[in-house]
Amino acid sequence: MSTLLEEIEAKIKGFNSGGGRANVGRVREIMDGVVKIEGLTDVAYQETVTFANGSVGLVLNLEDTEVGALVLGDFLGIKEGDEVTASGHQIRVPVGRALLGRVVDALGNPIDGKGAVRTDEFNPVEKIAPGIIKRQPVNQPVQTGLLPIDTMIPIGRGQRELIIGDRATGKTTVAIDTIINQARINRAGEQSGDKNFRPLYSIYVAIGQKRSNLARVVNTLTAHDALAHTVIVAATASDSATAQYLAPFAGAAIGEWFMAHNQDALIVFDDLSKHAAAYRQISLVLKRPSGREAYPGDVFYLHSRLLERSARLSAAAGGGSLTALPIIETQAGDVAAYIPTNIISITDGQIFLESDLFYQGVRPAINVGISVSRVGSAAQIKAIKQVAGKVKLELAQYRELAAFSQFASDLDAATKAKLDRGARIVEVFKQAQYQPVSVEQQVIVMWATQNGYFDDVPVDNILATKAKLFDYFGTREEALLREIGEKKSLDEALTVRIKQAVENFKQSLGG
């Protein structure tokens, strides 16, 4: 008998009802994908909640008597009175090298039909940016492969450089060119076996783009063998405003994984104008008070906390970097509008693309007068500094003189020489899309331009002559190009060899 009692007592002691404390509320109201929930007493900003139909919500409003949440999935099956359970953690996305070569949505779910993303690492979508102590100066270049940018408006690893301009002026093309060029440099570095080589991986975030445009980007990167070095995060125009709001933060979380693991990443936000519009839509539905142009008062903080996550970390903090290229679309060239001025004040410089230059056939259509990089020549190799030091000033003087020369019937010799030199520099800087130029080729063409070897070439023949120059050095002077790439600066002996090679090239043209 005693044995039976002991057995019963042991079972009672070991009984576990499975009960536990859960934070549960109920749907009070639902409209336009926004749910008002009452009864959630202990919930945090940006925490996820689960509805009775299995959909997930994102908490964005914390009020005295209720919580406002955005539904990330299907909201048609949610009804008033449905139970809502708090998860206890903020929204997260999968991260890691497994995402390279993949197209994912704003929650990190694959949408490219290549199966699941195999990773067990996750990063929170929102994260506090690294502090000042954890950062170090930006002085390593990000080579875009675009002559005017790499020589005049250099971008460094850890920088935030805004690409701004009207619709259809080539903003996305500048970003895609940079991704293609970095993938080419990555492949060359991996093949060289250099242990000190640091690859730069890319993340392209499409916000509010048409699906056809996104497909075109994917096809372009695939055709140029760059997709394997790239992660694409997509929240297209047909996706919800919530997805468009989350996508850049998800992309930043993916990029931060590389930065935290002593690697370098580049993130393109295409574009933050549509991101601000999506946030405005969310805020209006959440009944938040609107301010200038109906944007909520915290729209500046929205973008500053996103872009501040770009940094070059100190060696003690890991030594990685995250470079940001946000894109902003202007209306009729108005850079003084609300969102453009916000982003300009957050970033470390801007590349301004102008419609007039684009229609004149100057592509990339970069306005050198307004464009600036606040990192400057610190992000250039010494060889580029040596050959391109004066070119921005010469080009700015040319633009000014060209405007005044329209009203002058005759020009003095000095003015005419400056106009002729400027016209040739403009032609040298013209470049077909998706055809990046290596830094060694940039050094050669800029040296030849600065030393007058294009002065006797007719302006209409500059592009063809430049192509022949690249071909000549690529086939006959490979050792010289390789030495420029290794030394990264021009000494007297190297300059003599470049001069001899360029003169031989001119003789081969018969000039």
Side-chain angles (χ1 to χ4, degrees):
M1 187 71 179
S2 60
T3 310
L4 182 60
L5 282 172
E6 287 170 3
E7 195 175 326
I8 291 169
E9 283 175 3
K11 284 191 175 181
I12 289 170
K13 283 179 184 176
F15 176 72
N16 183 2
S17 65
R21 186 178 174 189
N23 193 7
V24 179
R26 295 204 173 273
V27 174
R28 187 182 69 76
E29 180 186 356
I30 178 162
M31 59 178 194
D32 297 325
V34 172
V35 182
K36 297 293 180 70
I37 307 162
E38 56 188 7
L40 283 180
T41 54
D42 186 18
V43 71
Y45 176 71
Q46 289 247 328
E47 187 174 328
T48 55
V49 294
T50 307
F51 297 96
N53 73 337
S55 294
V56 176
L58 179 67
V59 173
L60 281 184
N61 261 23
L62 300 174
E63 298 171 25
D64 289 338
T65 58
E66 62 187 20
V67 167
L70 295 169
V71 184
L72 300 177
D74 173 32
F75 66 88
L76 298 176
I78 299 171
K79 304 184 297 297
E80 289 181 12
D82 280 358
E83 201 172 80
V84 187
T85 309
S87 67
H89 59 76
Q90 288 188 310
I91 191 164
R92 303 178 302 167
V93 291
V95 294
R97 293 181 65 89
L99 274 87
L100 290 171
R102 303 303 301 271
V103 184
V104 298
D105 65 13
L107 296 175
N109 302 313
I111 55 174
D112 52 7
K114 296 180 182 176
V117 175
R118 300 186 183 279
T119 180
D120 54 1
E121 295 185 78
F122 292 84
N123 266 1
V125 164
E126 288 268 11
K127 195 176 180 183
I128 296 174
I132 294 171
I133 304 301
K134 290 184 178 179
R135 299 176 184 239
Q136 65 171 314
V138 173
N139 54 24
Q140 293 179 334
V142 172
Q143 300 291 350
T144 66
L146 296 167
L147 259 170
I149 294 177
D150 290 343
T151 55
M152 295 185 292
I153 320 152
I155 301 170
R157 297 191 182 196
Q159 189 176 346
R160 300 153 300 175
E161 183 79 4
L162 173 63
I163 301 171
I164 186 169
D166 282 5
R167 181 181 171 276
T169 49
K171 301 185 298 297
T172 301
T173 302
V174 168
I176 298 302
D177 267 321
T178 305
I179 292 172
I180 290 170
N181 191 51
Q182 285 303 326
R184 180 185 60 79
I185 293 171
N186 288 354
R187 287 194 303 275
E190 288 163 4
Q191 290 167 7
S192 70
D194 181 3
K195 291 180 180 178
N196 295 320
F197 174 73
R198 291 179 66 95
L200 185 76
Y201 300 105
S202 305
I203 299 128
Y204 176 80
V205 184
I207 311 158
Q209 305 288 328
K210 289 192 291 187
R211 287 185 177 242
S212 57
N213 287 352
L214 177 64
R216 193 177 302 118
V217 168
V218 173
N219 291 338
T220 300
L221 293 177
T222 305
H224 291 85
D225 201 15
L227 190 61
H229 299 261
T230 310
V231 182
I232 296 179
V233 182
T236 57
S238 58
D239 291 325
S240 66
T242 312
Q244 292 179 43
Y245 156 72
L246 280 175
F249 292 100
I254 292 167
E256 280 174 331
W257 182 90
F258 290 100
M259 180 169 69
H261 287 76
N262 191 20
Q263 297 177 56
D264 298 322
L266 166 76
I267 186 163
V268 176
F269 300 111
D270 192 7
D271 66 65
L272 290 186
S273 306
K274 293 185 177 71
H275 183 235
Y279 188 61
R280 174 172 61 186
Q281 182 180 332
I282 288 169
S283 298
L284 292 172
V285 173
L286 284 168
K287 300 288 193 292
R288 291 181 178 178
S290 56
R292 180 176 165 186
E293 295 180 30
Y295 289 105
D298 63 341
V299 74
F300 179 90
Y301 177 57
L302 170 79
H303 286 148
S304 64
R305 76 175 188 263
L306 171 68
L307 293 170
E308 280 295 325
R309 290 162 75 173
S310 300
R312 182 167 174 234
L313 297 180
S314 64
S321 74
L322 180 61
T323 308
L325 295 181
I327 295 176
I328 284 288
E329 185 179 302
T330 54
Q331 306 294 323
D334 183 15
V335 293
Y338 186 32
I339 299 301
T341 49
N342 274 357
I343 309 289
I344 286 169
S345 64
I346 295 165
T347 49
D348 309 310
Q350 67 275 346
I351 297 164
F352 183 67
L353 299 167
E354 201 170 56
S355 298
D356 290 346
L357 291 174
F358 187 85
Y359 298 136
Q360 289 167 23
V362 178
R363 299 176 190 177
I366 296 170
N367 181 322
V368 180
I370 299 178
S371 301
V372 65
S373 171
R374 297 191 183 101
V375 171
S377 60
Q380 284 177 316
I381 64 169
K382 190 177 179 183
I384 290 286
K385 291 184 208 176
Q386 289 172 295
V387 296
K390 299 177 184 175
V391 71
K392 190 170 184 180
L393 178 63
E394 287 180 345
L395 204 51
Q397 288 176 337
Y398 163 71
R399 298 255 190 247
E400 195 174 339
L401 287 171
F404 284 108
S405 67
Q406 296 175 27
F407 307 104
S409 55
D410 56 335
L411 301 168
D412 61 274
T415 304
K416 192 170 186 315
K418 282 186 178 179
L419 283 170
D420 288 345
R421 169 62 66 87
R424 282 163 174 79
I425 292 173
V426 169
E427 288 297 311
V428 164
F429 280 154
K430 287 182 182 178
Q431 198 169 326
Q433 65 178 7
Y434 313 140
Q435 293 182 17
V437 177
S438 71
V439 69
E440 296 86 3
Q441 291 174 319
Q442 291 177 17
V443 169
I444 295 297
V445 74
M446 291 312 302
W447 188 91
T449 305
Q450 291 292 80
N451 287 279
Y453 286 94
F454 282 107
D455 288 357
D456 60 344
V457 179
V459 174
D460 292 342
N461 289 345
I462 293 286
L463 278 175
T465 305
K466 184 178 78 168
K468 289 174 183 174
L469 178 70
F470 289 158
D471 186 53
Y472 180 88
F473 272 82
T475 53
R476 301 192 194 181
E477 299 287 349
E478 287 181 81
L480 180 55
L481 286 177
R482 195 160 45 249
E483 194 169 336
I484 293 169
E486 288 168 359
K487 285 189 173 179
K488 293 184 169 51
S489 66
L490 302 183
D491 54 25
E492 192 174 335
L494 206 51
T495 305
V496 169
R497 286 176 61 194
I498 291 171
K499 182 179 180 182
Q500 185 61 53
V502 172
E503 284 177 354
N504 291 343
F505 163 73
K506 289 284 287 184
Q507 286 174 3
S508 72
L509 293 178

